[in-house]
Amino acid sequence: MKINNLRWWVVSLIALATVINYIDRQALGVLWPDIASELFPGKTNDEHKQIFAVISVVFVFSYAFGQAIFGKIFDWVGTRIGFALSISLWSLATVLHAFGRGLLSFAIFRSILGLAEAGNWPGATKGNAEWFPTKERAFAQGVFNSGAAIGGIISIPLIAFLTIYFSWKLIFIIVGVFGFLWLIPWLFLVKSPPSTHPWITEEEKKYILDGQIRVDVEDESILDDYNPNTRELLSRKESWGVIIASAAIDPIWWLFVFWIPIYLFEVYGMDVKTIGLYGWVPYVGAMFGAWFGGLLAQNRIKAGWSVNRTRKVVIGLGCLIMLPSLLAMSNPGSPSTAVIIMAVILFGFQTSIGNVQTLPSDMFGGKTIATLAGYSGTAAKLGAVALTSLVPWLTSGGNYAPAFVIGAALAVIAMLSVLILIPRIKPLKKR
């Protein structure tokens, strides 16, 4: 049996895993007003927000270290088994949320969830590098990243709808089951990398593998894969360009992932069902941004632009879209205007991030890609921890302007780190 365009089936499954990933992680934020009123009666909104922040910081800390751990795991066991391990563990952790009874139990379950969900990103980066030629990677990464946006679009109204019929405890069990169901098509379809997959056509295999050959852009000679050890990897300034860009840009995303429902509840007085009507809108912008950033990069490379020029232009464009929009969130006015501005911000974020995430595969060999993606993911989540920890203090009394100003500064830092620390995006050689 042969399957045409098998690579697109693979990336679609990875995108679906990302949708499930976001439904699982968003459930707590959407359900928090109900959970807080049941488990922490008598506390003020600021105290509920502080408890939520502590649980969220535990999640992101675990997520940060999970990225480095799973980056190594994916390079060790491969994409197929790595994803199976990651999604099985995070689905179990989601189900366990139904048994949360206070700060400690939610922190433990959230820690397991963060550790396991972290595997999705280095795994997707590695899968992208295995299954796609260089010219298609940014779009493939955009398809994968759109899963995060679609998960955001679906999760908030879905969970709000489920509250009509089910308790918050049963909702965690229901959404946790989704991941276990995903394993069935994944293990059936993704049997091995494209070089040895029994169902890939010879034409697609040749197209993928020929498009992955590393070429020196200066003398057009073919390069061997460059797979440095950890010490050498971290000695390259280009690696730090990826790491710092990730650490700066990622907290912007998490600022909205964690706080959109809380923001709408606190600033505009919305209940869970009303949040379901508004809270999905920003993720529509994220979905279109993921597609736009990937398609723009693919189009420019096919038009003859270098990878270096393409990545820097698209990353810079996304950051420049975010900058004024984040500042505008200081005083957005109506809730409709606020969520539309958020959509523009997340459009810019996704335009940039898909190209930031392809940088490891642009510069290093296949046995190093997930490792660098894991390290940059760890740095990104530590940046998110820092900003998440500050949000209750920065937004005391419901004024979110300081948090958005910090987000604007981070967009500038992300853009400059790529421009300065990666003078030329190209396959690197051993020094």
Side-chain angles (χ1 to χ4, degrees), residues 3-12 14 78-80 83 123-134 136-137 140 186 189-201 204-205 207-209 211-212 369:
I3 299 177
N4 292 323
N5 298 314
L6 183 59
R7 68 192 186 280
W8 294 108
W9 286 98
V10 173
V11 78
S12 295
I14 295 174
T79 307
R80 181 177 190 260
F83 263 113
T125 302
K126 185 176 179 67
N128 184 2
E130 286 178 349
W131 281 92
F132 287 86
T134 301
E136 289 185 348
R137 284 178 184 168
W186 175 258
L189 188 67
V190 186
K191 298 181 180 299
S192 66
S195 59
T196 57
H197 200 292
W199 296 346
I200 193 170
T201 64
E204 185 176 18
K205 182 196 295 186
Y207 176 73
I208 293 170
L209 299 181
Q212 294 175 347
I369 292 168

Side-chain angles (χ1 to χ4, degrees), residues 111-395:
S111 178
I112 300 169
L113 181 71
L115 180 71
E117 282 200 337
N120 198 56
W121 268 256
T125 302
K126 185 176 179 67
N128 184 2
E130 286 178 349
W131 281 92
F132 287 86
T134 301
K135 64 183 178 183
E136 289 185 348
R137 284 178 184 168
F139 180 61
Q141 197 75 22
V143 171
F144 150 68
N145 280 335
S146 71
I150 294 168
I153 294 169
I154 292 172
S155 62
I156 295 178
L158 171 64
I159 294 164
F161 173 76
L162 290 175
T163 61
I164 299 172
Y165 302 100
F166 305 107
S167 68
W168 62 264
K169 300 178 184 69
L170 189 55
I171 291 171
F172 279 118
I173 295 173
I174 292 170
V175 299
V177 169
F178 294 161
F180 292 113
L181 295 175
W182 177 91
L183 284 170
I184 299 170
W186 175 258
L187 294 174
F188 176 75
L189 188 67
V190 186
K191 298 181 180 299
S192 66
S195 59
T196 57
H197 200 292
W199 296 346
I200 193 170
T201 64
E202 288 300 318
E203 294 80 7
E204 185 176 18
K205 182 196 295 186
K206 185 176 188 302
Y207 176 73
I208 293 170
L209 299 181
D210 287 354
Q212 294 175 347
I213 295 173
R214 289 160 42 88
V215 177
D216 190 315
V217 294
E218 295 174 355
D219 60 17
E220 297 187 353
S221 60
I222 295 176
L223 300 172
D224 293 329
D225 272 0
Y226 174 46
N227 294 295
N229 60 33
T230 299
R231 182 176 180 180
E232 185 178 351
L233 178 72
L234 296 178
S235 73
R236 305 295 300 248
K237 66 180 180 181
E238 292 87 355
S239 298
W240 286 100
V242 179
I243 291 168
I244 294 172
S246 300
I249 199 171
D250 214 50
I252 299 171
W253 175 257
W254 289 88
L255 179 63
F256 293 94
V257 168
F258 280 147
W259 298 103
I260 284 176
I262 309 300
Y263 173 88
L264 294 175
F265 169 73
E266 185 173 19
V267 176
Y268 296 106
M270 296 184 183
D271 60 15
V272 171
K273 295 177 181 63
T274 311
I275 289 170
L277 295 175
Y278 282 87
W280 59 274
V281 174
Y283 293 100
V284 175
M287 179 180 66
F288 285 114
W291 294 341
F292 173 76
L295 285 171
L296 179 60
Q298 179 175 293
N299 175 271
R300 290 301 83 203
I301 290 174
K302 287 183 176 179
W305 282 24
S306 67
V307 172
N308 177 67
R309 182 184 180 189
T310 299
R311 298 281 185 256
K312 288 180 178 177
V313 167
V314 179
I315 291 169
L317 175 63
C319 290
L320 291 175
I321 290 171
M322 285 190 284
L323 182 57
S325 305
L326 281 159
L327 295 176
M329 278 300 298
S330 296
N331 186 20
S334 70
S336 298
T337 302
V339 295
I340 290 171
I341 296 173
M342 290 181 194
V344 174
I345 294 167
L346 296 189
F347 177 92
F349 174 86
Q350 288 290 353
T351 296
S352 289
I353 194 64
N355 285 268
V356 171
Q357 290 170 338
T358 64
L359 293 175
S361 62
D362 290 331
M363 298 185 293
F364 294 98
K367 295 180 180 178
T368 306
I369 292 168
T371 299
L372 179 55
Y375 288 142
S376 60
T378 295
K381 301 313 171 287
L382 290 176
V385 165
L387 186 55
T388 301
S389 300
L390 290 173
V391 165
W393 173 68
L394 291 171
T395 65

